Amino acid sequence: MFAQRHLLGIEGLTRPEVEEILDLADRYVDLNRRPDKHADALQGLTQINLFFENSTRTQSSFEIAGKRLGADVMNMAVAQSSVKKGETLIDTALTLNAMHPDLLVVRHPSSGACNLLAQKVNCSVLNAGDGRHEHPTQALLDALTIRRSKGRLHRLNVAICGDIAHSRVARSNILLLGLMENRIRLIGPPTLMPSQVDQLGVEVYEDMREGLEDVDVVMMLRLQKERMDGAFIPSEREYYHRFGLDPEKLAYAKPDAIVMHPGPMNRGVEIDGILADDINRSVIQEQVEMGVAVRMAAMHLLARNLKAGSGQGHEIPAHGMSPG
Ligand code: CP
């Protein structure tokens, strides 16, 4: 049973907790495909989205998820806020906390920012990406995409390729896929591998063709230029030649291997644009769809625990979806 008060990372979750989120998300996928997409699991609750970094997918899907579940959703416009006058992260969070939100969704450039906030506020905090640390809902939506596509989420060969060093998506995926007993290969240049990679329980490859041999899942990552403080690759052209996914390199994977990318993509840098759009191989659009369902499930379960903690547990049924 999912017993968390916050969703700060994959680290600390148990396998049954991950499975509970994915099982509920599966049901929300069905709901989201119906003409009436509304349910009541967050009825009466207030959700604040606080994004200190740009986002398209994560912010919009958290907003849609909250609204579909009946929450009052407020998107904090950080660029127009008193953050620009020098107000700190903690003071901003304490100010919002005084307005009694129930769910605070936070993206921040500093690793550990969400964990810090969770100690200061009364509501549930959801990490929407903190520095290079974690992006738990991305790993959960990736897991749901893989499970629905492959029919299982264990004993798969998964290649995570590209800029691993700067990627919170890679870190959360390594933790989740490891928890589910998959074989994980990291492929990329040594300059883009994290330090202490040998302690992650993964196999490391510098050659795409060697690393992609017989994998079930190919997960490409964006070059995170905004987190680079020097030259990590000779040139984007050279990088694409060696590490960009194209049909020739993908041919080394299993014939039914799926291609994933968390977005936003740099077409022609880490992935061939035509391959990214190939609906026979790419599940990139499915990942976006699963993002809404996973965020609905995560907020639903956190709200259930919040209500239970305040003695109102009976008000939200364990799977409080609309009838039908
Ligand atoms: N995958 C992801 O986090 O995308 P956004 O930056 O657009 O939210």
Side-chain angles (χ1 to χ4, degrees):
M1 166 132 165
F2 185 82
Q4 307 285 333
R5 179 181 163 86
H6 306 287
L7 181 58
L8 301 174
I10 298 301
E11 190 168 25
L13 295 186
T14 63
R15 190 169 169 159
E17 284 178 324
V18 168
E19 284 166 351
E20 188 176 358
I21 296 173
L22 299 186
D23 291 346
L24 181 55
D26 252 333
R27 299 179 60 191
Y28 278 129
V29 174
D30 295 340
L31 178 77
N32 288 337
R33 290 180 178 179
R34 299 207 307 241
D36 177 4
K37 300 167 177 57
H38 289 103
D40 58 4
L42 302 184
Q43 195 72 48
L45 302 188
T46 300
Q47 171 192 338
I48 297 180
N49 296 331
L50 183 57
F51 279 60
F52 291 87
E53 277 186 345
N54 294 341
S55 169
T56 296
R57 282 146 282 267
T58 312
Q59 181 162 359
S60 57
S61 60
F62 264 116
E63 181 178 353
I64 289 171
K67 287 179 174 170
R68 285 193 182 158
L69 293 180
D72 295 316
V73 183
M74 192 272 265
N75 287 308
M76 179 79 191
V78 170
Q80 280 89 48
S81 74
S82 291
V83 168
K84 294 294 164 194
K85 300 176 196 162
E87 190 160 48
T88 65
L89 166 68
I90 298 295
D91 283 340
T92 304
L94 290 176
T95 300
L96 296 174
N97 187 54
M99 300 179 200
H100 299 293
D102 302 286
L103 299 153
L104 187 58
V105 180
V106 182
R107 170 170 286 190
H108 198 275
S110 300
S111 302
C114 299
N115 296 61
L116 184 66
L117 280 192
Q119 295 167 22
K120 308 277 181 191
V121 296
N122 304 321
C123 58
S124 291
V125 176
L126 292 102
N127 181 356
D130 64 327
R132 303 179 191 186
H133 176 224
E134 282 232 37
H135 193 348
T137 55
Q138 179 69 47
L140 288 161
L141 75 88
D142 290 342
L144 185 62
T145 307
I146 295 170
R147 194 173 82 167
R148 289 173 69 97
S149 178
K150 292 286 156 199
R152 68 182 198 277
L153 189 58
H154 60 276
R155 292 195 199 147
L156 293 166
N157 292 324
V158 182
I160 304 177
C161 313
D163 183 0
I164 318 283
H166 301 99
S167 176
R168 55 197 178 205
V169 174
R171 186 174 148 73
S172 289
N173 266 302
I174 290 166
L175 290 167
L176 194 157
L177 293 167
L179 188 66
M180 295 295 172
E181 295 175 29
N182 295 285
R183 192 170 156 192
I184 303 165
R185 303 179 189 178
L186 303 185
I187 313 174
T191 49
L192 294 178
M193 283 294 157
S195 57
Q196 302 180 318
V197 68
D198 51 320
Q199 293 172 26
L200 296 177
V202 298
E203 298 164 33
V204 179
Y205 294 85
E206 271 184 60
D207 183 89
M208 282 287 276
R209 294 165 186 82
E210 203 185 321
L212 290 178
E213 188 81 43
D214 282 335
V215 300
D216 301 284
V217 177
V218 185
M219 199 178 281
M220 300 307 299
L221 296 173
R222 180 173 68 89
L223 277 181
Q224 309 244 320
K225 292 178 210 161
E226 72 275 21
R227 296 189 213 290
M228 295 182 183
D229 51 9
F232 286 78
I233 55 167
S235 70
E236 288 186 356
R237 189 186 163 97
E238 168 74 7
Y239 182 80
Y240 181 68
H241 178 66
R242 287 194 59 201
F243 297 102
L245 188 67
D246 57 20
E248 186 271 324
K249 295 190 192 83
L250 182 61
Y252 286 81
K254 283 188 180 160
D256 62 349
I258 56 171
V259 174
M260 305 180 74
H261 194 304
M265 279 184 279
N266 295 309
R267 292 171 184 260
V269 178
E270 69 260 358
I271 190 166
D272 171 66
I274 293 171
L275 182 55
D277 297 332
D278 179 356
I279 55 168
N280 296 313
R281 305 306 298 269
S282 165
V283 294
I284 294 169
Q285 294 308 318
E286 281 89 334
Q287 287 175 268
V288 178
E289 182 187 4
M290 296 308 121
V292 179
V294 153
R295 286 162 183 136
M296 289 168 85
M299 290 196 291
H300 175 146
L301 294 172
L302 287 171
R304 182 192 66 187
N305 295 349
L306 210 59
K307 290 259 181 172
S310 66
Q312 300 173 53
H314 59 283
E315 286 193 4
I316 295 186
H319 297 291
M321 298 166 63
S322 295

